Amino acid sequence: MTLYNTLALRSGRRGVATDVPAVLAGSLLLVLSAKFQVPFFPVPMSMQTFVAIGLGLALGPVRGTLAVALYLAQGAAGFPVFAGTPERGLGLAYMMGPTGGFLVGFVLAALVAGWLAGRGFDRRPATAMVAALLAGAVIYVPGLLWLGAVIGWEKPVLALGLYPFIPGDIAKALLAAIVFPAAWKWLSARGVN
């Protein structure tokens, strides 16, 4: 059971009244995470992947995926929600660019993380890290396929879209391994789960 489900069931208020605000808040958290970069080597790191994975871990596969889908819908509608917008374009034009597949990957990451959270992977540091690494890896499938299609397969697709991001993804998985089990421990101490 995810953190969100536990809180919703405990409070006795589960449904549209709690789901809609959670999905809205999740999409806004993704917007914020896209706008801030953390200095990191070899490339600056945004926290979008951590938030997409975290939404799945915290909200479950359905609500987490809906939050990411709402974020993408806001971007498709032309709101400057993505990293580098409005400078690098807006709306569908931005989404059709080289990073479009990674945006789709966020949906898959939330789904995978939520599914794993439903099986208790968010309860212990080792399994939370596994969940975060697996969910993060899923982002690269559509991301690299799309990147290769957009820029051409003769280009160094892996060098541009994968290798520089591995250290940051490992750091974010470590963060997830700390944050989510700690949240469960904190909730358990208060009798919430």
Side-chain angles (χ1 to χ4, degrees):
M1 182 173 293
T2 65
L3 175 65
Y4 178 80
N5 288 340
T6 298
L7 293 174
L9 290 172
R10 184 75 161 172
S11 68
R13 295 176 292 139
R14 187 158 179 240
V16 175
T18 54
D19 290 348
V20 171
V23 168
L24 287 171
S27 73
L28 292 176
L29 192 57
L30 263 172
V31 172
L32 292 174
S33 71
K35 298 303 178 178
F36 296 101
Q37 292 191 346
V38 178
F40 201 76
F41 180 81
V43 292
M45 173 176 65
S46 86
M47 295 303 286
Q48 285 177 282
T49 55
F50 177 75
V51 171
I53 292 165
L55 289 172
L57 291 173
L59 300 179
V62 174
R63 289 175 213 79
T65 301
L66 286 174
V68 177
L70 178 58
Y71 167 71
L72 296 180
Q74 292 164 349
F79 294 102
V81 298
F82 302 130
T85 58
E87 300 82 20
R88 291 193 278 158
L90 291 170
L92 291 176
Y94 180 93
M95 295 175 82
M96 298 304 288
T99 60
F102 295 99
L103 294 172
V104 171
F106 291 162
V107 175
L108 299 175
L111 184 64
V112 167
W115 185 83
L116 291 170
R119 280 136 189 86
F121 275 67
D122 57 341
R123 299 285 180 128
R124 295 189 341 249
T127 56
M129 184 159 176
V130 168
L133 287 171
L134 288 173
V138 175
I139 294 171
Y140 288 103
V141 175
L144 293 172
L145 290 173
W146 185 261
L147 179 63
V150 170
I151 68 170
W153 288 103
E154 72 281 358
K155 303 276 189 337
V157 174
L158 296 178
L160 294 170
L162 174 65
Y163 301 144
F165 301 98
I166 291 174
D169 286 346
I170 292 171
K172 289 180 248 185
L174 284 169
L175 184 60
I178 294 166
V179 169
F180 288 95
W184 276 113
K185 186 175 180 181
W186 185 82
L187 290 168
S188 291
R190 281 144 190 80
V192 175
N193 58 357

